[in-house]
Each structure stands twice: as structure tokens, then as C-alpha cells.
Amino acid sequence: MAPIATKRLRYFALFLFLVQLTDPALASKIKNHTALKPQPPSTYIVHANTLAKPPHFTTLEHWYQSMVAAHSPHPANTSRILYTYDTVMHGFAVQLTGDEARSMSAAPGVAGVYEDGTFYPQTTRSPGFIGLDPTSNGAWNETDFGDGVIIGFIDSGIWPESASFNDSGLGPVRSSWKGKCVDAHDFNASLCNNKLVGAKAFSAGAEARAQRESNDSVVPSPRDKIGHGTHTASTAAGAEVPDAGLNMFSRGTAWGMAPKARIAMYKACDDDGCFGADIIAAIDAAVKDGVDIISISLGGPPESYHSDALAIATFGAERKGIFVALAAGNSGPTAYTVGNSAPWMATVGAATVDRLFPANLTLGNGVVLVSQSLYTMQAKGTAMIPLVSSGCRSPGDWTPDTVMGKIVVCMYGANDAHGIFVQNAGGAGIVDVDPREWSQDGSTAYPFTLPGLTLSYTAGEKLRAYMASEPNPVASFSFGCETAISKNRAPVVAGFSSRGPNPLVPELLKPDVVAPGVNILAAWSGDAPVSGYGQDGRTVGYNIISGTSMACPHVAGIAALIKKKYPSWTPAMVRSALMTTAWTLDNRGRHIRDDGATAGRHDAVMDATPLVAGAGYVHPDLALDPGLVYDASERDYVDFLCAINYTAEQLRVFVPDFAGCTRALSGGPAGLNYPSFVVAFDDRTTTRTLTRTLTKVSEQAETYSVIVKAPRDVKVMVTPTTLEFKEPNERKSYTVEFRNEARGNRKTEWGFGHISWENDNHRVRSPVAFHWNN
């Protein structure tokens, strides 16, 4: 997407194009930097091991202040402490120079010093498409719509006036809830109710950045000025709202995944993004308040877990029994781009639902290109209009002499904000060619202010060929202004959805699942323009946007339904239920398709592998009755971190009292008791053996038989081949031997299969990814 010189448009560009995260710098990185002149301060997160607190300090805060005074000798130095953290991790956020941070990193009791990074954000039809129906005896009625479960959102705030946050029919929040709504200059705590049970703002990190850069000050408020937080919160837990839609599109009853779940918003994002110090403070507060689920539609490039403050904080949340769902990222279809890939996270990619907003572009040679659009003026066919190609990287450069009366074709992506620039320059229309989506099914539709539509990569190539062959290319628009349901093959995995292999630990398959994330309708902020662009004067109550940011709260809401039925389940059990019951077939009974347009691809249909779709597309009804689950504890995750050769010092970032790696994980990191497998072969290894343990969660006694599918060059032996479960929560283990029977020097490549434990009542399926690296 072309850069636009406004804060809000930069922010909204992240829904489809992941902006790079400022790398957190460990103290070891800081040591290589020598200051040659006075340094301006930056925000650093200081992670402390509280077990090392000297006894003469009566409180942790006293100790922290002493550290800052010793290593940052400035007047009123302790006032630069922005936050103290005491729940998901221990430590504080403070403004330091690089030299001071280097000095601080060597202080006794300091486990790590991280320079603050910037993170960026990454529904009427989706509930029905994934099987949630108020008239059936399925997941909603079985769990009373998730009533009472509290979901915490780390996001851009909330618009409390939205009908999606109406508390009609809801009783009071449980007495153990410690959260509250905080008054601000534009947010009255009385706007909260039995649906919106918490609203807090964390902006000290953003304010420190603004002061350093002499920008406008940041005023703390839970109110959503962006729209993103309102959209994610209503997607997960919005109340029933009849006749919702964006203009005439997608009209119907809007529901969240868990319509009676309660919402607590922890605002940590503004126009410029989300700062690590604020995010950690928000997670810390959410866990302290007593949320059951946390939804984080934020992310950035992969960082080693021990240097990733978000990974450290979510590990702390998992230790407290909180299920955390995170967006996989929007950097697909390139491989090795999946973010938020720690094993204690539920990592969510984006896929489609069976809904399209059809429009057509008819070329001067008579070829009709099908597309999608949310343009509101119906037209069976406009006059033929001249086409002009533009890179659309700098739309502010468009002038009437170049675009007046023409359709501007953006071959490398555009959105409705670009359309406003075209319109202001006198253009007659805009065509957005999405270079990452193979077909129209995965393309994002935009509510353009002038005639405009989005073409897929394949349609865009036809347009490119026509314009190259014709000296005076022309085209005509057709807009039906309609919503087509159940006419397309769905789901398909969106091309923009980030995918594996896991760049940090290839032996751990990520993403975990995919969920609806393309053209999702949900509530919107009254302070946010439809496009996010400041010159866009349009405001709406509901908006349609795309991204793994939209997929993540779907999973958080479904997790709330599971938590309602099984309040004692661990986060790993919830994640297992989501994964082992996920769909792998679409609404046509064929394998879910990958819509990513990648170099060298010439076929019209490509199956979504586990590197793209994880275990598959979430299915709430099945997830509420998984039969068996793969559980994991803190000790299992510690063994995993030992298996990837983390040092004792690095492990104390997660577990302060860690003494050393004393138990080897059989099979290395691939041996974690996870609901998926990665099997790596090289020229020295012909056999891999992995063990998994299943826990019975069904009421009745059951016997399961194993079914295996693998590439022809792999022989798989499962021992035993049947598992009999009689007692509640009974655990049984099985071992899988994978033997590489490939002959010759096989090239580096991937193959896929699955291991499934089945009977007449349940199917517990685990994807398997095989990697040859010879």
C-alpha cells in the first residue's frame, strides 16, 4: 500500500499491510553502541527478578527507584518511571539514555532491558457461516451465549455508545471482578454497563514518545478514536443488533461470537500505533482485574521469545490460566512471516466467509473482470472511460492534468483513501489491484467515494495485458450494490494472512488456526472516518474491514464459549479443542484453498497447507465437544524453551526461580505436547520419534483408533494403534515413529499429512508437516 502522510491512514493501512515493528533491543545489543554526544532518552522496559531484591528495600517500588537513581543520575530521575509491572511480569518502564540502559542491564536483579518497540494492529455473516445459530441446540444455546465470561481487549479503545455494547438482558458482572471504567475528558464511566464492564487507558509510553518528538501531547482516554478496538470487541462479544450493515451492504443481525460475554477494554494504541510499555501495562492490568480471555490483534516481526516483551507478558498471563489469542500478522503470502508464534499463544490467521460484494469492470475489448466493491451508487454499466496506470505510491502527487476524467489503475494496491485523492484530483474512478489475492474471494472490498472496485491478482494480470496491448485503453464500471451469500467457495485463506514455517522455532507449527478475517462487518467508532483518512467526512455505526486483526477476536469469542462450558480448562486445553476440531474442507466439500498469489504460481486452485491454515478453520460446535485434548503446563513450556537452548538467564525472564534445565524434552522442541507435529529430516536423520499425551474430556467411556495420512516417502508407525479411556480426565500417551524412505538427494521441501484419533462420536485431528532439508 502506498504511504499516506496522515497519521490515521498510516494506522489503517495496517489492516492489510503489516508495518515493521521497531526491534526491541536487549542489553546485549545496547553494549555495542557507544555514545559520541549527549543522548536523548527513550523508553525502556526493565525486567526484574524479584527474588533478587535486597532485603533492606521494603518494597519493590523502593528497589526500582534505587536502580534508576543509581544508573540514571538526573534530577527527579524516579519521576521517569512510567509503569511498574507486578502480575504477568515484574519490573518497570522508564525513560533512559542508551548508556543508562546499558548500565542498568548489568545491575543485580535485572533480568533484561528492552527498548520499547511499536506494535501495530493487524460481523453479520461470520457467526452463521461457522455454525453459530440462536435457533439451534448448538454452541450458543449450550453455553448461554457465553454469559458471564470476561474478555479483555488490548487495543485502540472503545465507542461505548454503540448498540453492540447494549447490556439488555444481562445480569451484573461477577463479584470477583476487580476491573472498572475510568473517567476521562471525553469518556464518562457511567457509559459502562453490564456488557462493557471495564475501560482503561495506558498511554505513558505514547506520551513519552510524543514529548521526545515534540508532538502533541497524548490525553489518556479509553474512547476509541480509530475504530479498530470497537470493531474487534464487537466481533468477539457484541450484543445482538438487528438491521446492522455498512450502508446497503451486509445488512442483517450483527452478533459477536459470544454475545453475552462481557467486555473489558484496555486501550494501549493511538494514531501512531501501540507502544510496548503501554501494552505490557494493559496486559498486567487485565490479568490483575480478572479477565478470562485476552484478545490482542497486534503484532510485528518475529523476535526471540526471551527478548519479546509481548511473549514474556503473555507467558505470565498463561501462568495465571488466561487464554490469549493473537493475530498471526498480515505479511502473507510470503513464507516465514507468521508472528506471535510462542507455544502458549493461540496464533490466528485470516480466511473468508461465503459472502461477496460483486462488481464488474468491462474492458474495451469486451472482457468482463469480476471484482468486489462497497461503492454505493448502483450502475448497470457506465460509459467507457480512459484508463491510466499509476504506482499509487504517492497519491498526493496526482493532479488534474494526469487523472482528470480517467480511471486510475493502482497495480500494487490501494484503498478508499486513495480514492479520495483521485476524486479530489478530478479522476473518474479507481481500480485497486490486490497483488496478494489469487481470486476475488480473498480480496478486500472498500467503500470508495467515487466509482471504484478491487480486482484480484489474476484479474489484474488480464487488465495489465489489455492496457499493454491497447494504446488508448478504456473500461466501464458495473455496480450491483448487493451482498451475495453462499455463491462462492469458502472458506479460502486470505493471501495477506501471514504464514509459516515458524521463523523462530520451525519445529512448532504456526499459525494454529484460521478464522473469518476478510470483509468483516462489526461496530465502528463515531469519531473515526470510514477510511481512517482525516479528509474523509463519512461516519458510520458499522464498518467492513479485513485483516488477521479481525480473525483474532473470532477465536477469542469462541474461546469464551468453551470457557463458559469448561471453566476449569487450562489455556492449552482450550487451544487444543479449537485445533483438533477445526474444518479442513470448504462449503463445497473440497480442501480449503490458499488464495495467496505467489511467484511462479500458475494453477487456479492451491490447497492451504498446515503452514498456511494451521489445523484448519475454527468450528465452535465441534470445539465444545472435542472428546480428547492435548494439555500443557508451565513446566512443559519451560522444557520447550530448554530444548531450543535458552540459557538459565534467559529462562528466568519467564520463570524467576528457574534453577536449570533438568528434564530433556524427548524429540527436542518438536516433542512439546502440542496438537500439531513438525517432523524434520536431513541427510543424517532417517527416523524421528515423538510422543504425545491425550486427556479425556468427554463424559462417556470411549475407545479411539488411529488414522494416519502421510506423504508416500514417509512411513508412520503409531504405538499403540488404539486408546481406551474410561475415567474422567484420564491421560494416555502414544508414540509416533516417522521414517524417511525418500531415495537419493531430495531437495529441500515440505510435505503434509495428519494423525487422527477417531470413533463414532469424535475425531481428534492433528496436522503433520514434514520437512526435508538435504
Side-chain angles (χ1 to χ4, degrees), residues 625-679:
D625 184 22
L628 305 171
V629 294
Y630 294 88
D631 198 5
S633 65
E634 175 188 321
R635 176 63 186 273
D636 295 307
Y637 297 131
V638 169
D639 291 343
F640 170 85
L641 295 174
C642 286
I644 59 176
N645 298 318
Y646 276 19
T647 66
E649 181 181 3
Q650 291 167 339
L651 272 154
R652 289 191 190 101
V653 167
F654 302 95
V655 184
D657 60 353
F658 179 77
C661 297
T662 58
R663 187 177 71 171
L665 190 61
S666 177
L672 177 67
N673 197 45
Y674 212 73
S676 56
F677 294 80
V678 176
V679 181

Side-chain angles (χ1 to χ4, degrees), residues 455-698:
L455 294 176
S456 66
Y457 167 79
T458 50
E461 288 300 287
K462 294 177 182 177
L463 174 58
R464 188 193 303 271
Y466 164 68
M467 294 181 69
S469 66
E470 174 58 54
N472 298 298
V474 293
S476 168
F477 289 113
S478 295
F479 299 104
C481 298
E482 60 180 329
T483 302
I485 294 176
S486 299
K487 295 182 180 180
N488 59 306
R489 182 177 171 181
V492 301
V493 179
F496 65 76
S497 185
S498 291
R499 50 210 53 205
N502 185 340
L504 297 182
V505 186
E507 298 89 346
L508 178 67
L509 186 64
K510 288 284 181 172
D512 293 313
V513 291
V514 292
V518 180
N519 296 327
I520 302 302
L521 177 83
W524 199 244
S525 167
D527 277 349
V530 175
S531 66
Y533 176 49
Q535 293 185 25
D536 183 357
R538 299 172 298 168
T539 58
V540 293
Y542 288 80
N543 203 359
I544 294 174
I545 56 178
S546 300
T548 56
S549 277
M550 285 61 256
C552 175
H554 279 84
V555 168
I558 297 170
L561 300 178
I562 299 173
K563 195 69 175 177
K564 172 69 175 183
K565 184 175 181 180
Y566 305 106
S568 65
W569 276 19
T570 67
M573 295 168 77
V574 175
R575 183 177 57 248
S576 176
L578 290 163
M579 293 175 65
T580 61
T581 61
W583 277 336
T584 57
L585 302 178
D586 63 19
N587 58 356
R588 303 290 190 267
R590 294 177 287 182
H591 290 292
I592 292 174
R593 181 162 52 88
D594 177 8
D595 206 53
T598 54
R601 176 177 175 181
H602 302 292
D603 61 313
V605 177
M606 180 180 290
D607 290 344
T609 72
L611 297 178
V612 174
Y617 194 78
V618 289
H619 191 300
D621 281 350
L622 295 179
L624 283 175
D625 184 22
L628 305 171
V629 294
Y630 294 88
D631 198 5
S633 65
E634 175 188 321
R635 176 63 186 273
D636 295 307
Y637 297 131
V638 169
D639 291 343
F640 170 85
L641 295 174
C642 286
I644 59 176
N645 298 318
Y646 276 19
T647 66
E649 181 181 3
Q650 291 167 339
L651 272 154
R652 289 191 190 101
V653 167
F654 302 95
V655 184
D657 60 353
F658 179 77
C661 297
T662 58
R663 187 177 71 171
L665 190 61
S666 177
L672 177 67
N673 197 45
Y674 212 73
S676 56
F677 294 80
V678 176
V679 181
F681 295 120
D682 55 35
D683 55 4
R684 300 179 304 278
T685 306
T686 59
T687 302
R688 294 285 186 187
T689 302
L690 299 174
T691 298
R692 293 288 192 270
T693 300
L694 285 160
T695 301
K696 175 181 177 291
V697 292
S698 60

Side-chain angles (χ1 to χ4, degrees), residues 155-160 180-189 192 196 198-203 219-226 229-230 264-269 525:
D155 218 298
S156 67
I158 199 159
W159 188 258
K180 62 180 181 179
C181 292
V182 177
D183 282 312
H185 72 290
D186 61 353
F187 189 99
N188 192 317
C192 293
L196 179 58
K200 299 178 180 179
F202 300 86
S203 59
V219 181
S221 170
R223 184 168 290 282
D224 186 7
K225 302 290 186 180
I226 308 299
T230 300
M265 176 57 67
Y266 299 85
K267 181 178 179 178
C269 304
S525 167

